[in-house]
């Protein structure tokens, strides 16, 4: 990818659902993704991305998911993915499971997006307002789950006119390696660059120099 595809001062990093229920060994969903996390190096690559964004000084947006007991018990139309979350009481608002993983927690000055309840963060939160208020046009989308919230949000950002970067190694798919391989084939169709964490940081560092 040509580094000039990025414009210095207009790049942002979005981390989706980097919470204990997903990334901590005692999290309710961790076992579902454990093997893929280890194969891909997902957590370490997310830490690399976060450290690189901080070093380069571009804004980081943290997008958590959480549900109240009222959500679990009163929703009328419950999708398949919501059944998985509701039946297992994932992302309980105010709980340890819905808290950010300590290695991926927001630092002072970073933007925490309102918790999302559906899988497209852009469509259901203040994310777009926050990106525009921080002059972000080039958004890199990482975190979980690669085949759901990450993919849906990347598609939506692309449809809204943002330059979108997706990652080969800073996410994972529901369904293991076959689902990951299919996801990586789709990503270049819905984004403007699909890179490793290191490739992205090298490109953003070189942008505008």
């Amino acid at each position: 990818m040509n580094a000039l595809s990025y414009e210095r001062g207009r790049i942002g990093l979005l981390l989706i659902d980097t919470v204990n229920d997903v990334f901590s060994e005692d999290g309710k969903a961790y076992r579902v993704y454990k093997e893929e996390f280890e194969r891909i190096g997902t957590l370490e690559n997310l830490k690399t991305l976060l450290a690189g964004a901080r070093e380069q000084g571009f804004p980081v947006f943290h997008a958590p998911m959480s549900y109240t007991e009222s959500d679990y018990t009163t929703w009328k139309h419950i999708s398949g993915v919501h059944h998985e979350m509701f039946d297992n009481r994932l992302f309980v608002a105010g709980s340890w499971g819905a808290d950010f993983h300590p290695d991926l927690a927001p630092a002072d000055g970073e933007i925490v997006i309102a918790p999302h309840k559906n899988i497209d963060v852009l469509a259901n939160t203040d994310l777009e307002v926050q990106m525009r208020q921080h002059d972000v046009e080039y958004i890199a989308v990482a975190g979980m789950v690669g085949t759901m919230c990450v993919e849906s949000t990347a598609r939506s950002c692309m449809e809204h006119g943002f330059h979108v970067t997706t990652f080969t190694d800073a996410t994972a798919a529901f369904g293991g390696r076959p689902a990951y391989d299919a996801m990586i084939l789709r990503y270049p169709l819905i984004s403007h660059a699909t890179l490793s964490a290191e490739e992205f940081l090298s490109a953003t560092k070189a942008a505008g120099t």
Side-chain angles (χ1 to χ4, degrees):
M1 192 196 91
N2 188 327
L4 296 179
S5 295
Y6 294 100
E7 183 181 347
R8 178 161 293 185
R10 306 204 68 189
I11 306 163
L13 173 64
L14 171 63
L15 299 180
I16 300 177
D17 296 340
T18 49
V19 298
N20 287 318
D21 263 349
V22 178
F23 285 101
S24 292
E25 291 188 6
D26 293 332
K28 293 179 182 179
Y30 178 78
R31 61 178 178 78
V32 176
Y33 304 104
K34 179 178 184 294
E35 289 187 8
E36 281 296 277
F37 283 167
E38 292 174 352
R39 181 183 71 81
I40 298 166
T42 305
L43 179 58
E44 290 304 313
N45 292 320
L46 284 166
K47 289 163 61 177
T48 295
L49 270 179
L50 184 54
R54 288 168 175 168
E55 179 182 355
Q56 293 185 36
F58 54 80
V60 180
F61 305 91
H62 299 263
M65 174 177 274
S66 68
Y67 298 97
T68 66
E69 187 61 26
S70 177
D71 294 325
Y72 294 131
T73 57
T74 65
W75 277 31
K76 180 179 180 181
H77 302 295
I78 304 176
S79 69
V81 67
H82 285 98
H83 269 297
E84 289 293 323
M85 293 186 287
F86 286 18
D87 292 349
N88 293 289
R89 288 301 192 268
L90 289 168
F91 311 116
V92 176
S95 72
W96 171 86
D99 284 346
F100 292 105
H101 185 282
D103 291 339
L104 301 170
D108 289 345
E110 293 176 349
I111 303 98
V112 178
I113 302 302
H116 63 108
K117 298 179 185 293
N118 286 316
I119 62 175
D120 180 352
V121 177
L122 193 75
N124 294 282
T125 71
D126 57 325
L127 175 60
E128 183 166 8
V129 169
Q130 294 284 9
M131 288 196 294
R132 296 200 185 281
Q133 289 289 352
H134 290 84
D135 201 28
V136 169
E137 185 167 347
Y138 301 79
I139 188 68
V141 186
M144 289 296 284
V145 175
T147 45
M148 288 182 276
C149 295
V150 171
E151 185 167 341
S152 290
T153 304
R155 286 176 186 268
S156 191
C157 287
M158 179 270 288
E159 296 283 3
H160 282 246
F162 293 94
H163 179 288
V164 177
T165 299
T166 48
F167 292 96
T168 59
D169 62 356
T171 187
F174 178 78
R177 181 63 183 267
Y180 167 88
D181 289 342
M183 177 185 77
I184 295 303
L185 287 176
R186 289 193 302 275
Y187 273 3
L189 300 176
I190 63 168
S191 55
H192 304 89
T194 299
L195 305 171
S196 70
E198 292 285 1
E199 288 170 339
F200 170 72
L201 293 172
S202 294
T204 56
K205 191 171 185 178
T209 61

